[in-house]
Amino acid sequence: QVQLQESGPGLVKPSQTLSLTCTVSGDSLSSGDHYWTWVRQPPGKGLEWIGYTYNSGNTYYSPSLSSRLSMSVDTSKNQFSLKLSSVTAADTAVYYCARDRGYGVNDYWGQGTLVTVSS
Amino acid sequence: QSALTQPASVSGSPGQSITISCTGTSSDVGAYNHVSWYQHHPGKAPKLMIYDVSYRPSGISNRFAGSKSANTASLTISGLQAEDEADYYCSSYASIRVVFGGGTKVTVL
């Protein structure tokens, strides 16, 4: 059974960098069979696609976040990560990691982690 | 890239059928047969219900059905049950990137 678990600070100060890691079990990131995705949900709002990464290092980002975004994969730890710089209160959200089996089909999701941007 | 358009809420009585629409453009929903639907109970992980417009993952009830016409995709839930009360999101592949709908709250009366 594939499982994903997000981890990282729950509180980030404005203008700093938000960093999250997703640990995957039950699948190998080095296999190259899937894309690894981040999605967020601001309080009271809908889901927003952030972007995905591939074990080759290829990344694809939401145009609205691309200038502040960085994603990477660590196959040795079976983890992938997200870094979002210069955060503001608008980046407060529950952040989910997910496995994309292609064409935006996210078949396995983490439980989500709330990140609050506040001083 | 704008979000796909979904109705804010849809309701129905147990046993009834409801349909949720998801309207995009010729660059996303209309261009690809890669529309997915997710069920989201607050505080839980979203759950894939439909992919590639009309395919159900293993374990998903056949009460859930997806379709598409031009730039609009639809999710129909038949035989509505209490446990179907949740938020539903559509998403579409859009040339490398993915776009979600704004979400629809389904209420079982």
PDB file of all heavy atoms in Angstrom, chain A residues 19-52:
ATOM      1  N   SER A  19       9.416  25.271   3.869  1.00  0.00           N
ATOM      2  CA  SER A  19      10.046  24.032   3.405  1.00  0.00           C
ATOM      3  C   SER A  19       9.273  22.830   3.916  1.00  0.00           C
ATOM      4  O   SER A  19       9.054  22.704   5.129  1.00  0.00           O
ATOM      5  CB  SER A  19      11.494  23.948   3.899  1.00  0.00           C
ATOM      6  OG  SER A  19      12.270  25.005   3.364  1.00  0.00           O
ATOM      7  N   LEU A  20       8.882  21.960   3.013  1.00  0.00           N
ATOM      8  CA  LEU A  20       8.147  20.750   3.377  1.00  0.00           C
ATOM      9  C   LEU A  20       8.771  19.539   2.694  1.00  0.00           C
ATOM     10  O   LEU A  20       9.326  19.648   1.599  1.00  0.00           O
ATOM     11  CB  LEU A  20       6.676  20.847   2.961  1.00  0.00           C
ATOM     12  CG  LEU A  20       5.826  21.904   3.660  1.00  0.00           C
ATOM     13  CD1 LEU A  20       4.444  21.951   3.028  1.00  0.00           C
ATOM     14  CD2 LEU A  20       5.715  21.607   5.146  1.00  0.00           C
ATOM     15  N   THR A  21       8.656  18.402   3.363  1.00  0.00           N
ATOM     16  CA  THR A  21       9.144  17.141   2.822  1.00  0.00           C
ATOM     17  C   THR A  21       8.019  16.130   2.824  1.00  0.00           C
ATOM     18  O   THR A  21       7.182  16.127   3.737  1.00  0.00           O
ATOM     19  CB  THR A  21      10.318  16.619   3.663  1.00  0.00           C
ATOM     20  OG1 THR A  21      11.410  17.533   3.562  1.00  0.00           O
ATOM     21  CG2 THR A  21      10.779  15.252   3.171  1.00  0.00           C
ATOM     22  N   CYS A  22       7.987  15.304   1.802  1.00  0.00           N
ATOM     23  CA  CYS A  22       7.015  14.219   1.719  1.00  0.00           C
ATOM     24  C   CYS A  22       7.776  12.898   1.671  1.00  0.00           C
ATOM     25  O   CYS A  22       8.591  12.686   0.766  1.00  0.00           O
ATOM     26  CB  CYS A  22       6.151  14.387   0.477  1.00  0.00           C
ATOM     27  SG  CYS A  22       4.843  13.139   0.320  1.00  0.00           S
ATOM     28  N   THR A  23       7.523  12.047   2.644  1.00  0.00           N
ATOM     29  CA  THR A  23       8.158  10.732   2.702  1.00  0.00           C
ATOM     30  C   THR A  23       7.200   9.700   2.148  1.00  0.00           C
ATOM     31  O   THR A  23       6.039   9.627   2.558  1.00  0.00           O
ATOM     32  CB  THR A  23       8.542  10.375   4.143  1.00  0.00           C
ATOM     33  OG1 THR A  23       9.440  11.377   4.646  1.00  0.00           O
ATOM     34  CG2 THR A  23       9.226   9.024   4.202  1.00  0.00           C
ATOM     35  N   VAL A  24       7.696   8.911   1.197  1.00  0.00           N
ATOM     36  CA  VAL A  24       6.874   7.939   0.499  1.00  0.00           C
ATOM     37  C   VAL A  24       7.245   6.522   0.919  1.00  0.00           C
ATOM     38  O   VAL A  24       8.434   6.190   1.012  1.00  0.00           O
ATOM     39  CB  VAL A  24       7.052   8.084  -1.028  1.00  0.00           C
ATOM     40  CG1 VAL A  24       6.192   7.064  -1.765  1.00  0.00           C
ATOM     41  CG2 VAL A  24       6.691   9.496  -1.474  1.00  0.00           C
ATOM     42  N   SER A  25       6.247   5.703   1.173  1.00  0.00           N
ATOM     43  CA  SER A  25       6.476   4.278   1.429  1.00  0.00           C
ATOM     44  C   SER A  25       5.559   3.481   0.515  1.00  0.00           C
ATOM     45  O   SER A  25       4.503   3.952   0.108  1.00  0.00           O
ATOM     46  CB  SER A  25       6.223   3.933   2.893  1.00  0.00           C
ATOM     47  OG  SER A  25       4.892   4.251   3.257  1.00  0.00           O
ATOM     48  N   GLY A  26       6.010   2.282   0.163  1.00  0.00           N
ATOM     49  CA  GLY A  26       5.203   1.436  -0.707  1.00  0.00           C
ATOM     50  C   GLY A  26       5.425   1.684  -2.188  1.00  0.00           C
ATOM     51  O   GLY A  26       4.786   1.047  -3.030  1.00  0.00           O
ATOM     52  N   ASP A  27       6.283   2.618  -2.517  1.00  0.00           N
ATOM     53  CA  ASP A  27       6.642   2.907  -3.908  1.00  0.00           C
ATOM     54  C   ASP A  27       8.040   3.496  -3.894  1.00  0.00           C
ATOM     55  O   ASP A  27       8.455   4.092  -2.896  1.00  0.00           O
ATOM     56  CB  ASP A  27       5.655   3.892  -4.528  1.00  0.00           C
ATOM     57  CG  ASP A  27       5.803   4.004  -6.043  1.00  0.00           C
ATOM     58  OD1 ASP A  27       6.617   3.259  -6.637  1.00  0.00           O
ATOM     59  OD2 ASP A  27       5.082   4.827  -6.651  1.00  0.00           O
ATOM     60  N   SER A  28       8.749   3.337  -4.991  1.00  0.00           N
ATOM     61  CA  SER A  28      10.114   3.835  -5.064  1.00  0.00           C
ATOM     62  C   SER A  28      10.185   5.033  -5.999  1.00  0.00           C
ATOM     63  O   SER A  28       9.800   4.950  -7.173  1.00  0.00           O
ATOM     64  CB  SER A  28      11.065   2.741  -5.571  1.00  0.00           C
ATOM     65  OG  SER A  28      12.341   3.290  -5.837  1.00  0.00           O
ATOM     66  N   LEU A  29      10.680   6.151  -5.479  1.00  0.00           N
ATOM     67  CA  LEU A  29      10.802   7.346  -6.306  1.00  0.00           C
ATOM     68  C   LEU A  29      11.814   7.142  -7.424  1.00  0.00           C
ATOM     69  O   LEU A  29      11.758   7.824  -8.442  1.00  0.00           O
ATOM     70  CB  LEU A  29      11.188   8.546  -5.445  1.00  0.00           C
ATOM     71  CG  LEU A  29      10.017   9.350  -4.868  1.00  0.00           C
ATOM     72  CD1 LEU A  29       9.211   8.523  -3.906  1.00  0.00           C
ATOM     73  CD2 LEU A  29      10.513  10.634  -4.222  1.00  0.00           C
ATOM     74  N   SER A  30      12.735   6.207  -7.243  1.00  0.00           N
ATOM     75  CA  SER A  30      13.761   5.995  -8.249  1.00  0.00           C
ATOM     76  C   SER A  30      13.253   5.200  -9.444  1.00  0.00           C
ATOM     77  O   SER A  30      13.926   5.109 -10.465  1.00  0.00           O
ATOM     78  CB  SER A  30      14.967   5.291  -7.638  1.00  0.00           C
ATOM     79  OG  SER A  30      14.583   4.039  -7.125  1.00  0.00           O
ATOM     80  N   SER A  31      12.050   4.635  -9.328  1.00  0.00           N
ATOM     81  CA  SER A  31      11.524   3.811 -10.431  1.00  0.00           C
ATOM     82  C   SER A  31      11.163   4.656 -11.641  1.00  0.00           C
ATOM     83  O   SER A  31      11.143   4.150 -12.765  1.00  0.00           O
ATOM     84  CB  SER A  31      10.289   3.039  -9.972  1.00  0.00           C
ATOM     85  OG  SER A  31       9.195   3.932  -9.767  1.00  0.00           O
ATOM     86  N   GLY A  32      10.848   5.925 -11.413  1.00  0.00           N
ATOM     87  CA  GLY A  32      10.503   6.797 -12.519  1.00  0.00           C
ATOM     88  C   GLY A  32       9.142   6.549 -13.110  1.00  0.00           C
ATOM     89  O   GLY A  32       8.840   7.027 -14.210  1.00  0.00           O
ATOM     90  N   ASP A  33       8.304   5.837 -12.378  1.00  0.00           N
ATOM     91  CA  ASP A  33       6.983   5.495 -12.921  1.00  0.00           C
ATOM     92  C   ASP A  33       5.949   6.596 -12.708  1.00  0.00           C
ATOM     93  O   ASP A  33       4.887   6.568 -13.341  1.00  0.00           O
ATOM     94  CB  ASP A  33       6.467   4.211 -12.269  1.00  0.00           C
ATOM     95  CG  ASP A  33       7.259   2.993 -12.696  1.00  0.00           C
ATOM     96  OD1 ASP A  33       7.898   3.053 -13.765  1.00  0.00           O
ATOM     97  OD2 ASP A  33       7.231   1.987 -11.960  1.00  0.00           O
ATOM     98  N   HIS A  34       6.205   7.518 -11.808  1.00  0.00           N
ATOM     99  CA  HIS A  34       5.187   8.500 -11.448  1.00  0.00           C
ATOM    100  C   HIS A  34       5.787   9.891 -11.294  1.00  0.00           C
ATOM    101  O   HIS A  34       6.995  10.056 -11.196  1.00  0.00           O
ATOM    102  CB  HIS A  34       4.513   8.107 -10.125  1.00  0.00           C
ATOM    103  CG  HIS A  34       3.895   6.748 -10.155  1.00  0.00           C
ATOM    104  ND1 HIS A  34       4.506   5.644  -9.627  1.00  0.00           N
ATOM    105  CD2 HIS A  34       2.718   6.317 -10.677  1.00  0.00           C
ATOM    106  CE1 HIS A  34       3.737   4.589  -9.811  1.00  0.00           C
ATOM    107  NE2 HIS A  34       2.652   4.966 -10.446  1.00  0.00           N
ATOM    108  N   TYR A  35       4.890  10.883 -11.263  1.00  0.00           N
ATOM    109  CA  TYR A  35       5.246  12.231 -10.886  1.00  0.00           C
ATOM    110  C   TYR A  35       4.860  12.410  -9.417  1.00  0.00           C
ATOM    111  O   TYR A  35       3.992  11.722  -8.904  1.00  0.00           O
ATOM    112  CB  TYR A  35       4.490  13.254 -11.739  1.00  0.00           C
ATOM    113  CG  TYR A  35       4.907  13.258 -13.182  1.00  0.00           C
ATOM    114  CD1 TYR A  35       4.290  12.417 -14.102  1.00  0.00           C
ATOM    115  CD2 TYR A  35       5.916  14.101 -13.637  1.00  0.00           C
ATOM    116  CE1 TYR A  35       4.666  12.410 -15.428  1.00  0.00           C
ATOM    117  CE2 TYR A  35       6.299  14.102 -14.965  1.00  0.00           C
ATOM    118  CZ  TYR A  35       5.676  13.252 -15.851  1.00  0.00           C
ATOM    119  OH  TYR A  35       6.055  13.248 -17.164  1.00  0.00           O
ATOM    120  N   TRP A  36       5.508  13.344  -8.753  1.00  0.00           N
ATOM    121  CA  TRP A  36       5.276  13.581  -7.331  1.00  0.00           C
ATOM    122  C   TRP A  36       4.870  15.034  -7.159  1.00  0.00           C
ATOM    123  O   TRP A  36       5.595  15.950  -7.508  1.00  0.00           O
ATOM    124  CB  TRP A  36       6.519  13.192  -6.538  1.00  0.00           C
ATOM    125  CG  TRP A  36       6.845  11.750  -6.808  1.00  0.00           C
ATOM    126  CD1 TRP A  36       7.724  11.261  -7.722  1.00  0.00           C
ATOM    127  CD2 TRP A  36       6.214  10.616  -6.200  1.00  0.00           C
ATOM    128  NE1 TRP A  36       7.678   9.895  -7.722  1.00  0.00           N
ATOM    129  CE2 TRP A  36       6.766   9.462  -6.801  1.00  0.00           C
ATOM    130  CE3 TRP A  36       5.236  10.455  -5.206  1.00  0.00           C
ATOM    131  CZ2 TRP A  36       6.384   8.171  -6.439  1.00  0.00           C
ATOM    132  CZ3 TRP A  36       4.843   9.177  -4.840  1.00  0.00           C
ATOM    133  CH2 TRP A  36       5.418   8.048  -5.461  1.00  0.00           C
ATOM    134  N   THR A  37       3.675  15.208  -6.574  1.00  0.00           N
ATOM    135  CA  THR A  37       2.921  16.454  -6.682  1.00  0.00           C
ATOM    136  C   THR A  37       2.709  17.129  -5.336  1.00  0.00           C
ATOM    137  O   THR A  37       2.633  16.461  -4.300  1.00  0.00           O
ATOM    138  CB  THR A  37       1.535  16.134  -7.287  1.00  0.00           C
ATOM    139  OG1 THR A  37       1.694  15.727  -8.638  1.00  0.00           O
ATOM    140  CG2 THR A  37       0.601  17.322  -7.251  1.00  0.00           C
ATOM    141  N   TRP A  38       2.585  18.448  -5.368  1.00  0.00           N
ATOM    142  CA  TRP A  38       2.150  19.220  -4.208  1.00  0.00           C
ATOM    143  C   TRP A  38       0.873  19.981  -4.569  1.00  0.00           C
ATOM    144  O   TRP A  38       0.767  20.579  -5.645  1.00  0.00           O
ATOM    145  CB  TRP A  38       3.223  20.215  -3.755  1.00  0.00           C
ATOM    146  CG  TRP A  38       4.431  19.566  -3.166  1.00  0.00           C
ATOM    147  CD1 TRP A  38       5.607  19.262  -3.793  1.00  0.00           C
ATOM    148  CD2 TRP A  38       4.581  19.124  -1.804  1.00  0.00           C
ATOM    149  NE1 TRP A  38       6.482  18.661  -2.912  1.00  0.00           N
ATOM    150  CE2 TRP A  38       5.876  18.575  -1.685  1.00  0.00           C
ATOM    151  CE3 TRP A  38       3.769  19.150  -0.662  1.00  0.00           C
ATOM    152  CZ2 TRP A  38       6.371  18.046  -0.486  1.00  0.00           C
ATOM    153  CZ3 TRP A  38       4.256  18.626   0.524  1.00  0.00           C
ATOM    154  CH2 TRP A  38       5.538  18.085   0.605  1.00  0.00           C
ATOM    155  N   VAL A  39      -0.083  19.943  -3.653  1.00  0.00           N
ATOM    156  CA  VAL A  39      -1.360  20.642  -3.786  1.00  0.00           C
ATOM    157  C   VAL A  39      -1.622  21.337  -2.455  1.00  0.00           C
ATOM    158  O   VAL A  39      -1.257  20.807  -1.409  1.00  0.00           O
ATOM    159  CB  VAL A  39      -2.511  19.648  -4.088  1.00  0.00           C
ATOM    160  CG1 VAL A  39      -3.871  20.348  -4.096  1.00  0.00           C
ATOM    161  CG2 VAL A  39      -2.274  18.946  -5.422  1.00  0.00           C
ATOM    162  N   ARG A  40      -2.233  22.507  -2.482  1.00  0.00           N
ATOM    163  CA  ARG A  40      -2.538  23.177  -1.222  1.00  0.00           C
ATOM    164  C   ARG A  40      -3.990  23.627  -1.180  1.00  0.00           C
ATOM    165  O   ARG A  40      -4.647  23.754  -2.220  1.00  0.00           O
ATOM    166  CB  ARG A  40      -1.604  24.359  -0.980  1.00  0.00           C
ATOM    167  CG  ARG A  40      -1.814  25.553  -1.899  1.00  0.00           C
ATOM    168  CD  ARG A  40      -0.801  26.657  -1.572  1.00  0.00           C
ATOM    169  NE  ARG A  40      -1.021  27.851  -2.391  1.00  0.00           N
ATOM    170  CZ  ARG A  40      -0.291  28.952  -2.297  1.00  0.00           C
ATOM    171  NH1 ARG A  40       0.714  29.029  -1.424  1.00  0.00           N
ATOM    172  NH2 ARG A  40      -0.560  29.994  -3.071  1.00  0.00           N
ATOM    173  N   GLN A  41      -4.469  23.868   0.032  1.00  0.00           N
ATOM    174  CA  GLN A  41      -5.834  24.338   0.238  1.00  0.00           C
ATOM    175  C   GLN A  41      -5.820  25.437   1.296  1.00  0.00           C
ATOM    176  O   GLN A  41      -5.723  25.147   2.496  1.00  0.00           O
ATOM    177  CB  GLN A  41      -6.763  23.210   0.676  1.00  0.00           C
ATOM    178  CG  GLN A  41      -8.214  23.662   0.836  1.00  0.00           C
ATOM    179  CD  GLN A  41      -9.151  22.533   1.186  1.00  0.00           C
ATOM    180  OE1 GLN A  41      -8.774  21.581   1.861  1.00  0.00           O
ATOM    181  NE2 GLN A  41     -10.390  22.622   0.717  1.00  0.00           N
ATOM    182  N   PRO A  42      -5.928  26.686   0.879  1.00  0.00           N
ATOM    183  CA  PRO A  42      -6.032  27.782   1.859  1.00  0.00           C
ATOM    184  C   PRO A  42      -7.314  27.639   2.674  1.00  0.00           C
ATOM    185  O   PRO A  42      -8.287  27.042   2.201  1.00  0.00           O
ATOM    186  CB  PRO A  42      -6.073  29.036   0.983  1.00  0.00           C
ATOM    187  CG  PRO A  42      -5.482  28.609  -0.329  1.00  0.00           C
ATOM    188  CD  PRO A  42      -5.891  27.179  -0.493  1.00  0.00           C
ATOM    189  N   PRO A  43      -7.340  28.180   3.868  1.00  0.00           N
ATOM    190  CA  PRO A  43      -8.529  28.057   4.719  1.00  0.00           C
ATOM    191  C   PRO A  43      -9.789  28.562   4.016  1.00  0.00           C
ATOM    192  O   PRO A  43      -9.816  29.668   3.496  1.00  0.00           O
ATOM    193  CB  PRO A  43      -8.181  28.942   5.928  1.00  0.00           C
ATOM    194  CG  PRO A  43      -6.697  28.971   5.961  1.00  0.00           C
ATOM    195  CD  PRO A  43      -6.257  28.902   4.548  1.00  0.00           C
ATOM    196  N   GLY A  44     -10.817  27.733   3.991  1.00  0.00           N
ATOM    197  CA  GLY A  44     -12.084  28.124   3.393  1.00  0.00           C
ATOM    198  C   GLY A  44     -12.090  28.164   1.880  1.00  0.00           C
ATOM    199  O   GLY A  44     -13.089  28.601   1.280  1.00  0.00           O
ATOM    200  N   LYS A  45     -11.022  27.732   1.256  1.00  0.00           N
ATOM    201  CA  LYS A  45     -10.950  27.793  -0.206  1.00  0.00           C
ATOM    202  C   LYS A  45     -10.748  26.398  -0.804  1.00  0.00           C
ATOM    203  O   LYS A  45     -10.698  25.402  -0.083  1.00  0.00           O
ATOM    204  CB  LYS A  45      -9.818  28.730  -0.637  1.00  0.00           C
ATOM    205  CG  LYS A  45     -10.037  30.176  -0.219  1.00  0.00           C
ATOM    206  CD  LYS A  45      -8.981  31.084  -0.805  1.00  0.00           C
ATOM    207  CE  LYS A  45      -9.241  32.530  -0.431  1.00  0.00           C
ATOM    208  NZ  LYS A  45      -8.238  33.459  -1.037  1.00  0.00           N
ATOM    209  N   GLY A  46     -10.646  26.346  -2.118  1.00  0.00           N
ATOM    210  CA  GLY A  46     -10.515  25.077  -2.803  1.00  0.00           C
ATOM    211  C   GLY A  46      -9.083  24.627  -2.966  1.00  0.00           C
ATOM    212  O   GLY A  46      -8.137  25.285  -2.515  1.00  0.00           O
ATOM    213  N   LEU A  47      -8.924  23.493  -3.632  1.00  0.00           N
ATOM    214  CA  LEU A  47      -7.604  22.933  -3.881  1.00  0.00           C
ATOM    215  C   LEU A  47      -6.882  23.735  -4.962  1.00  0.00           C
ATOM    216  O   LEU A  47      -7.493  24.183  -5.939  1.00  0.00           O
ATOM    217  CB  LEU A  47      -7.723  21.476  -4.329  1.00  0.00           C
ATOM    218  CG  LEU A  47      -8.369  20.508  -3.345  1.00  0.00           C
ATOM    219  CD1 LEU A  47      -8.502  19.116  -3.975  1.00  0.00           C
ATOM    220  CD2 LEU A  47      -7.594  20.426  -2.054  1.00  0.00           C
ATOM    221  N   GLU A  48      -5.588  23.885  -4.784  1.00  0.00           N
ATOM    222  CA  GLU A  48      -4.747  24.582  -5.758  1.00  0.00           C
ATOM    223  C   GLU A  48      -3.545  23.734  -6.106  1.00  0.00           C
ATOM    224  O   GLU A  48      -2.780  23.341  -5.213  1.00  0.00           O
ATOM    225  CB  GLU A  48      -4.283  25.932  -5.215  1.00  0.00           C
ATOM    226  CG  GLU A  48      -3.378  26.702  -6.164  1.00  0.00           C
ATOM    227  CD  GLU A  48      -2.803  27.967  -5.551  1.00  0.00           C
ATOM    228  OE1 GLU A  48      -2.953  28.173  -4.332  1.00  0.00           O
ATOM    229  OE2 GLU A  48      -2.188  28.766  -6.313  1.00  0.00           O
ATOM    230  N   TRP A  49      -3.360  23.436  -7.374  1.00  0.00           N
ATOM    231  CA  TRP A  49      -2.197  22.677  -7.819  1.00  0.00           C
ATOM    232  C   TRP A  49      -0.958  23.540  -7.738  1.00  0.00           C
ATOM    233  O   TRP A  49      -0.940  24.662  -8.260  1.00  0.00           O
ATOM    234  CB  TRP A  49      -2.419  22.193  -9.243  1.00  0.00           C
ATOM    235  CG  TRP A  49      -1.337  21.336  -9.810  1.00  0.00           C
ATOM    236  CD1 TRP A  49      -1.126  20.016  -9.563  1.00  0.00           C
ATOM    237  CD2 TRP A  49      -0.326  21.732 -10.735  1.00  0.00           C
ATOM    238  NE1 TRP A  49      -0.041  19.554 -10.284  1.00  0.00           N
ATOM    239  CE2 TRP A  49       0.469  20.598 -11.010  1.00  0.00           C
ATOM    240  CE3 TRP A  49       0.000  22.936 -11.372  1.00  0.00           C
ATOM    241  CZ2 TRP A  49       1.560  20.619 -11.886  1.00  0.00           C
ATOM    242  CZ3 TRP A  49       1.080  22.967 -12.242  1.00  0.00           C
ATOM    243  CH2 TRP A  49       1.847  21.815 -12.487  1.00  0.00           C
ATOM    244  N   ILE A  50       0.091  23.041  -7.088  1.00  0.00           N
ATOM    245  CA  ILE A  50       1.327  23.794  -6.934  1.00  0.00           C
ATOM    246  C   ILE A  50       2.338  23.399  -7.997  1.00  0.00           C
ATOM    247  O   ILE A  50       2.972  24.246  -8.631  1.00  0.00           O
ATOM    248  CB  ILE A  50       1.934  23.568  -5.535  1.00  0.00           C
ATOM    249  CG1 ILE A  50       0.982  24.085  -4.448  1.00  0.00           C
ATOM    250  CG2 ILE A  50       3.300  24.239  -5.423  1.00  0.00           C
ATOM    251  CD1 ILE A  50       1.436  23.739  -3.031  1.00  0.00           C
ATOM    252  N   GLY A  51       2.494  22.083  -8.183  1.00  0.00           N
ATOM    253  CA  GLY A  51       3.451  21.626  -9.173  1.00  0.00           C
ATOM    254  C   GLY A  51       3.833  20.186  -8.931  1.00  0.00           C
ATOM    255  O   GLY A  51       3.377  19.568  -7.960  1.00  0.00           O
ATOM    256  N   TYR A  52       4.639  19.624  -9.833  1.00  0.00           N
ATOM    257  CA  TYR A  52       5.144  18.266  -9.611  1.00  0.00           C
ATOM    258  C   TYR A  52       6.579  18.122 -10.089  1.00  0.00           C
ATOM    259  O   TYR A  52       7.094  18.937 -10.845  1.00  0.00           O
ATOM    260  CB  TYR A  52       4.246  17.189 -10.192  1.00  0.00           C
ATOM    261  CG  TYR A  52       3.766  17.305 -11.615  1.00  0.00           C
ATOM    262  CD1 TYR A  52       4.592  17.665 -12.667  1.00  0.00           C
ATOM    263  CD2 TYR A  52       2.448  16.996 -11.913  1.00  0.00           C
ATOM    264  CE1 TYR A  52       4.136  17.726 -13.961  1.00  0.00           C
ATOM    265  CE2 TYR A  52       1.971  17.040 -13.206  1.00  0.00           C
ATOM    266  CZ  TYR A  52       2.813  17.407 -14.235  1.00  0.00           C
ATOM    267  OH  TYR A  52       2.346  17.472 -15.523  1.00  0.00           O
TER     268      TYR A  52
END
